[in-house]
Amino acid sequence: MTQASGHLRDAVVAYCTRAGADPLLVQGAGGNVSWKEGDTLWIKASGTWLADASQRDIFVPVNLPHLQQELAAGRHESKPQVKGEHALRPSIETVLHALMPHKVVVHLHAIEVLAHLVREDFTESLRRSGLQDAFDCAVVDYHKPGVALARAVQAALAQTPSARVVFMRNHGVVVGGDDVDDVERVIQELSERFKTVPLARAGQAAPTEPLVVGDAAYLPLEEPGLHQLATEPILYSRMGDAWALYPDHVVFLGARASLHATVPALTQALAQADAVPELVFVQGLGVFARESFSVAKTAQLRCYLDVLARQPADAVIRSLSMDQIAELLNWDAERYRQAMAK
Ligand SMILES: [Zn+2]
């Protein structure tokens, strides 16, 4: 089996553990890190958490020249070849790491950056940040992760081959560098230059009682701050139009928010629904979920709150289109139409 040499691997694992513990950098299984050693690209496995890097082996060795040849030939759909026997599959975003020429590549949905990537005026805020004077940067529009995104990033890198920062609108950022410290420094710089003071939390107490609606029991979310989404009028009012902002959010939390003005309105909506939503928002009261609502979904909701709470009142937010949402959920047009009509 392919073995990674110690020093670089240790530095990567230490970074993954640090970044994975910071919800402003990593949410759940989101984000991935890679390094290149000769003919091997070591990449985080699909579905694993960066935060677990020091406790379990989350990296998979992939044949780098093979992947580079396939990408150069325009075969972006080609599967990465895993070296040796591995139970884990490489991340769907492996191609982004192979496209970057750098030794160490980190891709994150970093909140301070993502809060700008979801706005119409991102190019303007990038110019104002002065980051383009510090690092060579490329910007790509939103594309579905996988083949379409890989093509767009490849085209952007062909335009700016020296780019070490690739901003992906409505998604996140990819940073390459010579070593872990080098990449970490750039990510810190991005977070600092794009830093926004989030909306202050009002003193309203979080709900403690469950809601029982028909046969369904909904528990108030345990993390008190998350109720802000329902209790802060500016956040609540945005969830209708600015819900689907980036891929992981849609994949984990669905195409739209289940928003209800009152508990009786929720009761009435559920009585008419054919499927019971897992997560519901009751205006002015709080955020409630079925018992099945996972830790990974909670991490995604926290990410969403962190992004939304950083939007100025006059921000023009760019949401994913109906087609982009349907494509992420692998829905056909009819299923999408029905889901949105509810
Ligand atoms: Zn991503």
Side-chain angles (χ1 to χ4, degrees):
M1 190 191 286
T2 307
Q3 294 291 328
S5 63
H7 180 68
L8 182 54
R9 185 188 189 101
D10 291 348
V12 169
V13 166
Y15 174 69
C16 293
T17 310
R18 271 200 305 283
D22 182 352
L24 291 183
L25 291 179
V26 174
Q27 307 79 30
N32 36 61
V33 174
S34 72
W35 74 97
K36 299 179 183 80
E37 261 182 42
D39 284 352
T40 304
L41 172 72
W42 288 91
I43 176 78
K44 192 201 80 158
S46 184
T48 59
W49 292 38
L50 288 173
D52 293 340
S54 63
Q55 285 137 49
R56 55 180 290 217
D57 190 5
I58 62 166
F59 294 100
V60 184
V62 162
N63 182 336
L64 180 60
H66 163 261
L67 198 49
Q68 286 169 330
Q69 278 159 22
E70 294 298 284
L71 291 168
R75 290 189 289 271
H76 298 79
E77 64 289 340
S78 185
K79 293 261 174 293
Q81 285 178 353
V82 175
K83 290 181 155 189
E85 291 294 314
H86 264 266
L88 298 169
R89 283 186 298 123
S91 159
I92 185 181
E93 286 166 327
T94 300
V95 280
L96 299 181
H97 295 256
L99 285 168
M100 299 285 282
H102 308 86
K103 181 98 177 152
V104 175
V105 176
V106 174
H107 161 53
L108 298 175
H109 311 143
I111 298 291
E112 299 290 5
V113 188
L114 185 55
H116 289 265
L117 287 168
V118 300
R119 287 185 213 157
E120 285 294 345
D121 68 351
F122 174 71
T123 327
E124 178 56 24
S125 37
L126 176 59
R127 197 191 54 73
R128 274 198 311 267
S129 75
L131 280 164
Q132 284 157 308
D133 302 328
F135 314 110
D136 286 334
C137 301
V139 179
V140 296
D141 275 331
Y142 173 80
H143 293 273
K144 184 184 177 186
V147 174
L149 182 58
R151 283 215 174 92
V153 169
Q154 189 178 39
L157 291 174
Q159 291 273 324
T160 315
S162 55
R164 56 179 304 198
V165 179
V166 181
F167 293 101
M168 303 185 296
R169 299 187 72 164
N170 291 92
H171 185 150
V173 67
V174 182
V175 177
D178 296 334
D179 55 40
V180 174
D181 289 349
D182 185 30
V183 174
E184 187 169 15
R185 199 171 44 76
V186 177
I187 291 169
Q188 277 169 352
E189 180 88 28
L190 299 183
S191 290
E192 268 158 37
R193 298 236 196 161
F194 279 122
K195 199 176 183 69
T196 312
V197 178
L199 185 71
R201 225 179 105 197
Q204 185 171 341
T208 51
E209 294 299 313
L211 294 177
V212 180
V213 185
D215 297 335
Y218 284 93
L219 306 174
L221 295 186
E222 280 177 26
E223 199 177 314
L226 292 176
H227 294 285
Q228 237 187 322
L229 285 165
T231 56
E232 285 292 339
I234 188 163
L235 300 182
Y236 185 84
S237 67
R238 278 197 154 136
M239 281 194 288
D241 291 337
W243 172 256
L245 299 184
Y246 42 88
D248 274 7
H249 179 80
V250 173
V251 169
F252 281 84
L253 299 175
R256 67 188 303 192
S258 186
L259 304 171
H260 306 277
T262 59
V263 175
L266 166 68
T267 308
Q268 195 182 1
L270 290 200
Q272 290 163 0
D274 0 309
V276 176
E278 201 181 17
L279 175 71
V280 296
F281 300 86
V282 182
Q283 190 175 6
L285 183 62
V287 186
F288 299 82
R290 305 298 305 270
E291 215 174 357
S292 57
F293 196 70
S294 65
V295 176
K297 288 177 181 177
T298 306
Q300 279 307 321
L301 193 64
R302 164 78 183 272
C303 175
Y304 179 65
L305 168 67
D306 286 338
V307 168
L308 218 56
R310 282 171 172 73
Q311 303 307 321
D314 60 352
V316 182
I317 300 176
R318 183 185 281 194
S319 299
L320 300 185
S321 70
M322 291 188 179
D323 286 349
Q324 288 165 341
I325 295 170
E327 175 189 60
L328 277 169
L329 296 172
N330 296 316
W331 282 359
D332 59 31
E334 179 57 18
R335 177 150 174 225
Y336 184 80
R337 195 190 60 73
Q338 287 173 9
M340 294 309 277
K342 279 172 195 160

